Amino acid sequence: MIKSFSLRAGLLASVMAFAPAAFADTPKDVLVVADQIDDIITMDTAQSSEFSGINITNNLYDRLVDFDPLDMEAGFKPALAESWEVSDDHKTITFKMRDGVKFHSGNPVRAEDAAWSLQRAVKLDKGLSFILTQFGLTPDNVDENVKADGDKLIIKLDQPYAYSLVLNSLTASVASVIDKETVLPHVEGDDFGNKWLGQNEAGSGPFTLAAWKPNEQVQLASFAGYWNGEPAMKRVIVRHVQESSAQRLLLEQGDVDVARNLSPTDVEGVETKDTVKIVTEPRGRLLYMGLNQNDKLLSNPAVIEAMKYLVDYKGMEGSFLKGQWKVHQNIVPTGYLGASDDNPWTYDVEKAKKILNDAGITSGTIKTVVRDIADYVNVAQTLQASMAQAGLTLEIQQMTGAQVLDAYRARQVPIFIGEWGTDYADPNTNVSTFAINPNNSPDVKHSELAWRNAWAVPEDLQKKAMAATLEGDADKRKQEYLDIQQEYRDIAPIVPLFQKIGQDAMQKNVDHWNSGGAVASVYYRQVTKGE
């Protein structure tokens, strides 16, 4: 919850929080971050699905299992659950809760809180609840299948899923453990405290929510009673700074410690400075091209194949995408089980023309819409030039993000160029949306990317994707995802192009920065600042 904080913190906040004036040399125990956070609409982990919102809640709440920001390679580790057991039939997981952990309120963290948190997420059916319901949990059965028994939490699944899939899913924000006793007095009707938690928090994480002013900034205060040790940063201030040039200026002046959204040009501008360093990490976000199969021309297999050779991958990677996107032609991002480094397509206009000519296609016009983000528009215009060389005309109309998303969800975008971000740290997070479409009818309104592009995914490929969720042997499961991606590359009209590379610019005295890499969101608890 939003709580009162110490006099020192209050004085600091009065100076730093909402003051427009710049200040140099941030205090040693305060981390100031410039970021684009105007997409935050709620602090309720059962509803939040925006990148910036989850970056905040990731530090307010704990989960049963989580990543260690100082040892990401190890994968998920015990967090609020100190251990777990999987039944012989792989359909029941029993977690033993860590003893002695307190919420920010001082209430003990109990198995009952963990059960209630998962139950409310499923019943509210908002945001990323599908991460939990994919295991057969429904509003009608979740009370029976997610139960507390003393210091144990018992989760029953409808299928013998790979336990790594289940545990990776429980690292997601939607699986955060909430202080039931704090929230219950704020419940309105059947909202499970959703309205109250939209503006407040009831977690046990390393930070409390000290203040939030939408579209301006969020303040986090360290939690002295954190079970894993109080963070070195007593306060984290995340300021909304929209423009890259403004973030760069604040960083150069010493007014912020970290700038998270610098353009390639601004990164080049600051990386040679003695006081600044650039930390790069692959992120779990793909930039892809969706070819809508409702479009007569785009549904031609020859056009689908030719389009894969009309993308100037290396040219874009080396110019306007420089340093911030890398060529990645697979649906599982680098950093995930089963990720592939195979990038078989090259920019080859003559090959594309031959494929089209052999199919009797010498011309054609496609009208599409693109969100007014520089990277998307530049990719679309580069593609437009390549298509023209092959005899195809691409007419581009720029729209706002909301307009493009509305059209995309209605399956009305012929060529979609945009991003997809992973929802949890398992390959199924992407395979389930790129390669599964249970019903291609226009009336069902599915959220899968395959459905949005009107692609009736071959039944055999969908069966392989489903089977991979049940494979308990990690090596076999990895190979299954590699095989799925190879087949996907050959036939799919949804074409992965690039994977995001995060470039966070920061003062050289900032140590142990971790943006969450490809599998998680930013962590602040391990950050320190030197001289």
Side-chain angles (χ1 to χ4, degrees):
M1 70 183 79
I2 297 179
K3 303 172 69 173
S4 60
F5 42 92
S6 69
L7 175 61
R8 180 180 183 280
L11 291 172
L12 180 63
S14 68
V15 174
M16 302 178 67
F18 304 116
F23 49 89
D25 297 332
T26 61
K28 296 300 183 186
D29 59 356
V30 175
L31 183 73
V32 184
V33 180
D35 199 355
Q36 295 171 351
I37 59 170
D38 56 342
D39 59 336
I40 302 176
I41 59 173
T42 179
M43 290 293 169
D44 189 347
T45 57
Q47 181 177 1
S48 177
S49 60
E50 307 79 27
F51 291 128
S52 299
I54 293 176
N55 276 337
I56 298 299
T57 59
N58 193 47
N59 295 279
L60 300 174
Y61 291 89
D62 286 317
R63 291 147 291 278
L64 295 168
V65 292
D66 202 356
F67 295 96
D68 180 347
L70 296 176
D71 187 17
M72 296 293 286
E73 294 297 321
F76 56 77
K77 290 183 174 181
L80 292 183
E82 65 178 19
S83 62
W84 52 84
E85 294 180 354
V86 182
S87 64
D88 290 341
D89 66 0
H90 288 213
K91 294 177 70 173
T92 300
I93 302 180
T94 302
F95 297 89
K96 183 179 186 305
M97 300 298 292
R98 187 178 300 278
D99 187 40
V101 180
K102 301 284 188 182
F103 285 111
H104 301 155
S105 65
N107 292 331
V109 176
R110 309 162 302 176
E112 182 178 341
D113 296 292
W116 183 77
S117 301
L118 299 179
Q119 291 165 357
R120 77 177 288 274
V122 170
K123 292 175 180 176
L124 282 171
D125 193 23
K126 295 178 179 290
L128 304 178
S129 63
F130 68 88
I131 294 174
L132 302 175
T133 60
Q134 68 178 325
F135 302 117
L137 301 176
T138 69
D140 291 333
N141 71 23
V142 70
D143 288 348
E144 180 64 27
N145 291 332
V146 179
K147 281 185 173 180
D149 180 9
D151 65 350
K152 293 183 173 58
L153 173 73
I154 303 167
I155 300 179
K156 295 182 178 178
L157 315 170
D158 67 334
Q159 296 286 330
Y161 297 100
Y163 91 96
S164 59
L165 166 61
V166 180
L167 294 184
N168 273 322
S169 298
L170 292 177
T171 67
S173 177
V174 71
S176 296
V177 177
I178 300 170
D179 184 350
K180 176 182 176 181
E181 302 306 324
T182 291
V183 176
L184 284 181
H186 302 284
V187 170
E188 296 183 16
D190 57 357
D191 83 337
F192 294 92
N194 173 244
K195 181 179 179 181
W196 186 80
L197 280 173
Q199 303 292 320
N200 300 275
E201 57 92 0
S204 62
F207 292 92
T208 65
L209 180 62
W212 172 33
K213 192 168 186 179
N215 303 324
E216 290 193 17
Q217 66 177 259
V218 177
Q219 287 190 42
L220 307 178
S222 66
F223 177 37
Y226 188 54
W227 63 273
N228 208 10
E230 183 180 5
M233 295 295 101
K234 303 307 179 191
R235 188 160 294 268
V236 175
I237 300 173
V238 184
R239 301 174 58 183
H240 175 62
V241 182
Q242 181 66 35
E243 300 298 330
S244 168
S245 58
Q247 290 195 14
R248 174 182 172 179
L249 181 61
L250 291 169
L251 184 70
E252 290 178 334
Q253 291 178 167
D255 293 342
V256 302
D257 297 299
V258 182
R260 303 209 62 198
N261 310 106
L262 297 189
S263 67
T265 300
D266 284 325
V267 169
E268 286 187 354
V270 300
E271 65 183 353
T272 58
K273 295 188 177 299
D274 293 338
T275 58
V276 174
K277 63 183 178 183
I278 308 295
V279 175
T280 62
E281 295 177 86
R283 299 272 167 75
R285 292 157 63 178
L286 301 180
L287 183 59
Y288 69 97
M289 172 176 67
L291 307 178
N292 193 315
Q293 296 303 281
N294 280 339
D295 185 282
K296 184 177 180 180
L297 183 62
L298 295 174
S299 65
N300 188 313
V303 175
I304 295 172
E305 183 181 5
M307 290 292 290
K308 296 170 183 174
Y309 293 98
L310 290 174
V311 178
D312 188 0
Y313 304 95
K314 288 294 183 183
M316 289 188 278
E317 181 187 63
S319 55
F320 57 85
L321 300 179
K322 186 176 182 180
Q324 300 195 339
W325 293 92
K326 69 168 187 174
V327 175
H328 189 80
Q329 298 170 353
N330 300 282
I331 58 177
V332 177
T334 299
Y336 284 69
L337 178 75
S340 171
D341 294 328
D342 290 342
N343 295 312
W345 308 312
T346 57
Y347 179 49
D348 191 337
V349 173
E350 292 305 314
K351 185 170 184 176
K353 288 171 66 176
K354 184 176 187 309
I355 293 170
L356 293 171
N357 290 336
D358 288 348
I361 300 171
T362 56
S363 65
T365 298
I366 302 163
K367 297 180 180 180
T368 196
V369 295
V370 175
R371 185 179 179 183
D372 51 359
I373 288 180
D375 284 351
Y376 303 172
V377 173
N378 288 334
V379 170
Q381 291 177 340
T382 303
L383 181 65
Q384 181 184 51
S386 301
M387 291 174 65
Q389 295 181 62
L392 301 177
T393 300
L394 179 61
E395 297 180 357
I396 303 170
Q397 181 182 1
Q398 294 184 41
M399 290 184 173
T400 67
Q403 290 172 319
V404 172
L405 192 55
D406 284 346
Y408 191 40
R409 287 171 171 165
R411 312 209 299 186
Q412 295 174 350
V413 179
I415 297 181
F416 179 82
I417 293 173
E419 291 180 53
W420 177 258
T422 54
D423 295 312
Y424 52 96
D426 188 272
N428 188 59
T429 185
N430 274 12
V431 173
S432 63
T433 192
F434 278 91
I436 288 182
N437 182 4
N439 186 342
N440 199 38
S441 167
D443 301 323
V444 295
K445 305 297 181 186
H446 281 305
S447 61
E448 290 89 353
L449 298 186
W451 183 87
R452 291 180 184 177
N453 288 280
W455 182 39
V457 183
E459 187 174 346
D460 181 61
L461 181 60
Q462 296 194 69
K463 287 181 177 178
K464 291 175 181 175
M466 294 298 295
T469 67
L470 303 177
E471 178 54 63
D473 184 289
D475 290 337
K476 290 180 179 178
R477 191 164 183 245
K478 174 182 177 180
Q479 187 58 52
E480 289 181 10
Y481 282 116
L482 290 170
D483 294 342
I484 288 169
Q485 291 177 95
Q486 183 175 15
E487 182 175 346
Y488 189 92
R489 288 193 300 265
D490 291 339
I491 63 173
I494 309 171
V495 187
L497 307 174
F498 304 98
Q499 180 173 351
K500 182 72 174 176
I501 303 296
Q503 289 185 312
D504 293 322
M506 62 196 71
Q507 310 294 346
K508 281 192 172 176
N509 68 340
V510 175
D511 295 321
H512 309 305
W513 172 262
N514 188 322
S515 67
V519 297
S521 300
V522 65
Y523 294 93
Y524 296 126
R525 68 177 189 253
Q526 78 291 342
V527 173
T528 59
K529 289 168 68 174
E531 298 298 327

